[in-house]
Amino acid sequence: NNLRVPPMCQVQRTSDLTGYTSTTAIAWNNEAFDTDDMYTSATSTTNVTIQTAGIYAVTFAGAARGSATISRVLPGIYANSSQLVSMDSVVISGVVAQWNISTIDDFSVGTNITARVNIIGGSAYLIDGASPLNDETTRLTVVWLGQKS
């Protein structure tokens, strides 16, 4: 019954993801909650797969660091490898960047939701398991809002 327990999932990085390259989806290592079997690490550590068609709110929040000055950080949310939304995030102290982006979209069953970060400038990137500024994990949250009419 979707009115009692709507489909939703949150996956996280609980440890730093080192050696990250911006051409790959982030690999998640923790499932905070999942009410609709959207995340299965045995199948894919990068995908949250829609199991119930409808309108969803998707949020990607986190932080990245580099060993040298980062000039731009462009986090993005993707559906089946097509970018849905991206933004320029705030670069703090030259080597740390944080973001919180979201979108609302209509998804069909089987749509794979992923998150990527394009980091420009700097080197030796890592995606923070716990943000150095507010101690929150990098995370992707997918919440069903209702059926499309």
Side-chain angles (χ1 to χ4, degrees), residues 1-13:
N1 183 339
N2 290 343
L3 295 177
R4 289 185 58 186
V5 182
M8 65 179 78
C9 179
Q10 184 180 87
V11 289
Q12 305 168 331
R13 279 300 312 178

Side-chain angles (χ1 to χ4, degrees), residues 50 56-60 77 84-85 101-105 107 113-114 140-143:
I50 300 300
Y56 285 80
V58 182
T59 302
F60 174 36
I77 299 170
L84 297 176
V85 63
I101 63 172
S102 60
T103 187
I104 295 174
D105 213 324
F107 299 119
I113 309 298
T114 57
L140 178 67
T141 308
V142 181
V143 178

Side-chain angles (χ1 to χ4, degrees), residues 5-23:
V5 182
M8 65 179 78
C9 179
Q10 184 180 87
V11 289
Q12 305 168 331
R13 279 300 312 178
T14 57
S15 61
D16 292 343
L17 178 60
T18 58
Y20 178 76
T21 61
S22 59
T23 58

Side-chain angles (χ1 to χ4, degrees), residues 119-131:
I119 302 173
I120 301 167
S123 60
Y125 311 125
L126 65 84
I127 302 298
D128 280 308
S131 168

Side-chain angles (χ1 to χ4, degrees), residues 9-77:
C9 179
Q10 184 180 87
V11 289
Q12 305 168 331
R13 279 300 312 178
T14 57
S15 61
D16 292 343
L17 178 60
T18 58
Y20 178 76
T21 61
S22 59
T23 58
T24 59
I26 292 176
W28 307 106
N29 67 350
N30 184 59
E31 177 185 270
F33 54 84
D34 185 356
T35 65
D36 201 26
D37 296 323
M38 292 194 261
Y39 178 75
T40 306
S41 62
T43 305
S44 172
T45 59
T46 59
N47 294 340
V48 171
T49 304
I50 300 300
Q51 303 297 326
T52 302
I55 299 169
Y56 285 80
V58 182
T59 302
F60 174 36
R65 287 182 278 157
S67 62
T69 301
I70 298 171
S71 57
R72 289 177 73 198
V73 176
L74 304 162
I77 299 170

